[in-house]
């Protein structure tokens, strides 16, 4: 199977969904890790660590990669991920299909944000920040 010409790819790419892997990092079943987006899309919104699955990448591997890239939390710290759900998000100019995983921790690991986030919080489930 061949690849599309780069110009044609740029034209059809916005019409196709992005596969994504996100991680719900929960500590002692009472707090969840949220990061605040520093870049578009959804700049200024709180969200779960995660992002696009690369071509040929296993979704679980993508979840671990995204978690470490965005928060510095390693695979070893996160432990075994549990698949929670697959969700379909349609925005005005893009379509994401997200596989969401759970990392259930008994401790709060150090968080080191990359350029994609401006802040983070360990939010109690009953008091989540806004906007999400």
């Amino acid at each position: 199977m061949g690849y599309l010409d780069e110009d044609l790819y740029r034209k059809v790419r916005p019409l196709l969904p992005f596969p994504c892997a996100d991680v719900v990092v929960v500590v002692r079943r009472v707090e969840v890790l949220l990061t605040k987006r520093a870049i578009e899309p959804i700049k200024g919104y709180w969200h779960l660590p995660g992002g696009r699955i690369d071509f040929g990448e296993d979704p679980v591997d993508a979840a671990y990669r995204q978690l470490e890239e965005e928060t510095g939390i390693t695979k070893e710290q996160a432990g075994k991920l549990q698949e929670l759900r697959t969700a379909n998000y349609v925005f005005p100019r893009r379509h994401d299909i997200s596989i969401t995983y759970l990392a259930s921790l008994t401790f709060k690991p150090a968080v080191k944000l990359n350029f994609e986030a401006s802040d983070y919080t360990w939010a109690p489930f009953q008091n989540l920040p806004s906007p999400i």
Side-chain angles (χ1 to χ4, degrees):
M1 184 167 96
Y3 290 95
L4 294 175
D5 171 75
E6 187 66 29
D7 289 334
L8 179 57
Y9 175 79
R10 285 193 181 121
K11 290 177 184 173
V12 299
R13 182 60 200 108
L15 305 174
L16 304 172
F18 282 108
C20 299
D22 299 311
V23 184
V24 179
V25 182
V26 175
V27 174
R28 293 181 291 278
R29 296 182 172 183
V30 295
E31 293 177 306
V32 62
L33 176 62
L34 297 172
T35 60
K36 191 174 210 177
R37 291 285 293 181
I39 60 174
E40 294 296 346
I42 63 171
K43 181 178 179 178
Y45 281 73
W46 293 96
H47 78 112
L48 300 170
R52 294 184 188 160
I53 299 170
D54 291 337
F55 181 81
E57 187 176 28
D58 182 273
V60 174
D61 293 338
Y64 282 122
R65 176 182 55 78
Q66 289 287 349
L67 182 62
E68 186 165 4
E69 285 177 3
E70 293 185 12
T71 68
I73 298 173
T74 66
K75 179 177 182 177
E76 292 74 23
Q77 290 172 311
K80 183 171 174 50
L81 298 179
Q82 175 187 347
E83 186 173 331
L84 291 178
R85 66 173 291 199
T86 300
N88 190 45
Y89 300 102
V90 180
F91 301 100
R93 298 178 110 172
R94 68 185 258 184
H95 176 186
D96 293 348
I97 299 171
S98 175
I99 304 168
T100 306
Y101 297 91
L102 172 66
S104 185
L105 308 180
T106 58
F107 65 98
K108 287 183 187 176
V111 175
K112 296 176 215 154
L113 300 175
N114 72 358
F115 69 94
E116 297 176 55
S118 61
D119 199 5
Y120 76 93
T121 187
W122 292 100
F125 285 110
Q126 70 275 12
N127 191 23
L128 296 176
S130 184
I132 281 187

